[in-house]
Amino acid sequence: MTGSDETPPFRLVYVPGVMPDKWVRIWNERCPDVPLALTQVPAAAAAERLRGGDADAGLVRLPVDRTVFSAIPLYTEQTVVVVPKDHLVTAVDEVSPEDLADDIVLHPLDDVLDWETLPGRPAFERPATTADAVELVAAGIGVLIVPLSLARLHHRKDLTHRPLKDAPESRVALAWPEDATTDQVEDFIGIVRGRTVNSTRGRTRPAAPDKPRRTEKDGARRKSAASAGQPGTNHRRGSGSGGTPKGTPKSGRRGKPRRRS
């Protein structure tokens, strides 16, 4: 088979922290004839990949330009603060922004949270990436606020994290160019939405063959055959409804006998 005869892959990009393994597994089970090309890209680069036609769809972080892209929100992530294991906030189950007032809060250039005002004290310089910021936290230079998936992605034995309340949250979505909603995109939409393989929504499935119609004669024959095979049925002429032949004497009189005068 030449390369030109091969089925083009479904190209899916995803951002760091998003784990598409489950959806990829279902795709491979349902669409074994269509390979899935999976590529991780920085969060800020995902929209450009989709807009430029380098990918068919993407698992991205909102917001996206809704004049260009269609998007289906999938879930919202919890926001956490990453700190050294000996930090004071590890003594509590949940942290408030006020608890970080005396800390240097690192703000990497690839931050995915939409802050109006970052809590704590700003660093002299912004780290280039979240990975760089994690290294600075481990060095005791500050703390870092990220979605939970990124805290897990950059996990270190000397660091831990705690939920941060009253903080922006990151929403993950499936997005694709609005003018490029292909059959493959519809199939992947069905997968992330949990539709079954026989669902009528999304891509149209082949119709099931029609069953043969039953006629009145067929029904009468089946009914006659069924009654003929029932045990205990009396088919003698002159039988009553209960199977007792007509003319059978009835049992004795009912009620009290009359007295003779």
Side-chain angles (χ1 to χ4, degrees), residues 19 87 119:
M19 302 298 290
H87 196 283

Side-chain angles (χ1 to χ4, degrees), residues 134-157:
V134 169
E135 294 294 329
L136 294 175
V137 175
I141 294 176
V143 301
L144 174 66
I145 302 172
V146 290
L148 178 58
S149 66
L150 291 181
R152 289 173 173 168
L153 179 65
H154 298 286
H155 172 71
R156 290 175 52 119
K157 292 182 178 179

Side-chain angles (χ1 to χ4, degrees), residues 178-194:
E178 189 172 7
D179 59 356
T181 307
T182 64
D183 284 345
Q184 292 178 353
V185 170
E186 289 284 5
D187 283 339
F188 200 79
I189 290 171
I191 289 173
V192 300
R193 282 187 161 173

Side-chain angles (χ1 to χ4, degrees), residues 110-152:
D110 63 354
D111 184 24
V112 296
L113 298 174
D114 186 17
W115 290 100
E116 291 185 3
T117 304
L118 197 69
R121 296 184 293 133
F124 291 112
E125 190 175 348
R126 294 184 65 180
T129 65
T130 298
D132 293 336
V134 169
E135 294 294 329
L136 294 175
V137 175
I141 294 176
V143 301
L144 174 66
I145 302 172
V146 290
L148 178 58
S149 66
L150 291 181
R152 289 173 173 168

Side-chain angles (χ1 to χ4, degrees), residues 24-32:
V24 171
R25 175 179 56 78
I26 297 174
W27 175 274
N28 291 333
E29 291 172 355
R30 294 188 185 179
C31 308

Side-chain angles (χ1 to χ4, degrees), residues 176-218:
W176 67 95
E178 189 172 7
D179 59 356
T181 307
T182 64
D183 284 345
Q184 292 178 353
V185 170
E186 289 284 5
D187 283 339
F188 200 79
I189 290 171
I191 289 173
V192 300
R193 282 187 161 173
R195 296 177 192 154
T196 64
V197 68
N198 295 320
S199 172
T200 56
R201 300 188 64 185
R203 188 172 177 177
T204 303
R205 302 291 175 183
D210 293 335
K211 295 182 178 179
R213 297 179 61 182
R214 296 180 179 178
T215 65
E216 293 182 3
K217 291 183 178 180
D218 291 337

